[in-house]
Amino acid sequence: MSTIEKAMGKLAQQAQAKEKPPETTAQSQQANSSSVSEKDKPILQIDSAVLKRLGMLSDIRSRETRVLSDEYRSIKRKLLKNAFEPGLIPQDKSNLIMVTSANPGEGKTFTSINLALSLALEKDKTVLLIDSDVLKPTVSKTLGIGQHMGLMEYLLGETDDVADVIYHTNIPNLRIMPAGMPHHLSNELLASDKMRALTEELNSRYSDRVVLFDSPPVLGVNETVVLSNFVGQAVVVVEQDKTKLAAIKSAVQQFGEELAIGYVLNKAVHGKTGTYGYGYGYGYGYEEERSA
């Protein structure tokens, strides 16, 4: 074959390559990237020793956590009844539950994690715990599961599939969506239309799943009030002997009237011997009249 023939053959090969639709190549790359990402996504390991050290539900068979387990069992029964029994609250978002407090430091993350652990014991349900306190995310840090892509990356459009930021854990039926990397528009993203769309997708895509949002405190964070419009239930954590009644009323009055609201009394002291369980006790009840 002459030099000219070789050159002509090479030019023909280059022309064929150019004729290949660019979107086909992009789709192939996207498919390969997606499959690798799914394959490599870690299973988050939650250490029971860490839970025990923090006074959480590390082992429901233990006498040390039996009282705490019973308290949370009572709380979750009310949540599950509202979530899955028709007619109690709007069913389009009844399984979406926000855990918050009037002010910081009242124990909402402690409550969120324990509720998630208790709900994960249900045989016919799964629970997804979302760290939506995007300015001060503490779920991953508390559980010692490291930092991973999460809510912020999804809201920023770095992934289009919500499944990419939902992680299995070593605890059956428990899934976690981390907060992700901090962003200067974190609060605005939390109140965005894409966040609303995410809650709608979670409700329709996982209708048998309980979704818990560990949310920012209400007072001073407008985005928490916006988030409350996306969910069907709210659990307000109240610290005994610290949270002012005026603060609770001010927080609750910012919620919509259709939102079912419950209260968890945190760090409650019982009896002459001191504290109940690990220094935490719980009471729960829905307010029948918002103005009461």
Side-chain angles (χ1 to χ4, degrees):
M1 181 180 292
S2 68
T3 303
I4 295 177
E5 288 175 331
K6 291 180 180 179
M8 292 292 290
K10 186 174 182 180
L11 288 173
Q13 291 176 353
Q14 291 175 348
Q16 290 178 355
K18 289 181 180 179
E19 290 175 359
K20 186 176 182 180
E23 62 272 16
T24 303
T25 303
Q27 289 171 356
S28 175
Q29 291 174 347
Q30 185 177 7
N32 291 336
S33 176
S34 176
S35 61
V36 171
S37 175
E38 184 63 27
K39 179 181 178 181
D40 294 343
K41 196 165 66 170
I43 296 176
L44 304 184
Q45 301 296 316
I46 299 174
D47 190 343
S48 60
V50 172
L51 297 177
K52 184 176 181 180
R53 186 175 70 250
L54 296 174
M56 294 183 174
L57 294 176
S58 56
D59 184 357
I60 61 171
R61 298 166 298 180
S62 170
R63 293 182 62 183
E64 295 175 320
T65 59
R66 185 175 302 167
V67 173
L68 191 66
S69 175
D70 288 343
E71 295 284 356
Y72 273 103
R73 184 177 290 115
S74 176
I75 295 170
K76 76 174 178 180
R77 287 287 163 243
K78 295 177 175 66
L79 295 173
L80 290 171
K81 182 176 181 179
N82 268 348
F84 299 106
E85 287 193 18
L88 294 177
I89 60 176
Q91 292 297 298
D92 61 333
K93 50 186 178 181
S94 59
N95 63 328
L96 308 179
I97 305 167
M98 179 177 73
V99 182
T100 186
S101 57
N103 300 297
E106 299 190 54
K108 65 177 183 58
T109 299
F110 180 92
T111 301
S112 297
I113 294 173
N114 277 317
L115 270 178
L117 292 170
S118 183
L119 286 162
L121 296 173
E122 297 295 306
K123 300 303 181 183
D124 58 347
K125 297 286 187 296
T126 60
V127 56
L128 170 62
L129 175 59
I130 300 178
D131 191 350
S132 58
D133 192 350
V134 290
L135 283 181
K136 296 182 179 180
T138 53
V139 170
S140 295
K141 183 178 180 181
T142 300
L143 294 176
I145 55 178
Q147 192 166 21
H148 303 275
M149 183 172 73
L151 178 60
M152 281 297 96
E153 284 77 13
Y154 180 80
L155 294 179
L156 286 167
E158 295 181 17
T159 177
D160 294 326
D161 189 351
V162 65
D164 288 344
V165 293
I166 296 177
Y167 299 81
H168 286 66
T169 73
N170 60 320
I171 297 177
N173 299 332
L174 176 61
R175 314 286 185 262
I176 290 179
M177 182 188 295
M181 293 297 292
H183 192 273
H184 68 283
L185 294 178
S186 294
N187 274 355
E188 288 78 4
L189 290 167
L190 195 64
S192 67
D193 289 339
K194 188 159 187 180
M195 184 67 187
R196 178 190 292 274
L198 171 61
T199 58
E200 292 173 352
E201 180 177 358
L202 290 173
N203 178 263
S204 60
R205 187 171 178 175
Y206 307 101
S207 57
D208 62 339
R209 175 176 290 178
V210 179
V211 183
L212 292 178
F213 295 85
D214 182 40
S215 308
V218 179
L219 300 180
V221 184
N222 294 332
E223 289 72 18
T224 306
V225 179
V226 177
L227 180 61
S228 72
N229 295 319
F230 305 159
V231 302
Q233 303 187 62
V235 175
V236 180
V237 179
V238 179
E239 183 175 349
Q240 178 172 296
D241 298 329
K242 179 180 178 181
T243 309
K244 304 294 185 183
L245 182 60
I248 301 170
K249 288 185 176 181
S250 178
V252 169
Q253 285 173 356
Q254 298 183 57
F255 295 147
E257 293 183 358
E258 71 282 357
L259 185 68
I261 303 175
Y263 300 93
V264 171
L265 183 62
N266 195 27
K267 304 180 184 178
V269 178
H270 295 264
K272 297 180 180 179
T273 57
T275 57
Y276 201 32
Y278 286 89
Y280 296 85
Y282 300 85
Y284 192 88
Y286 283 95
E287 61 174 8
E288 296 180 358
E289 296 183 14
R290 190 63 56 86
S291 60

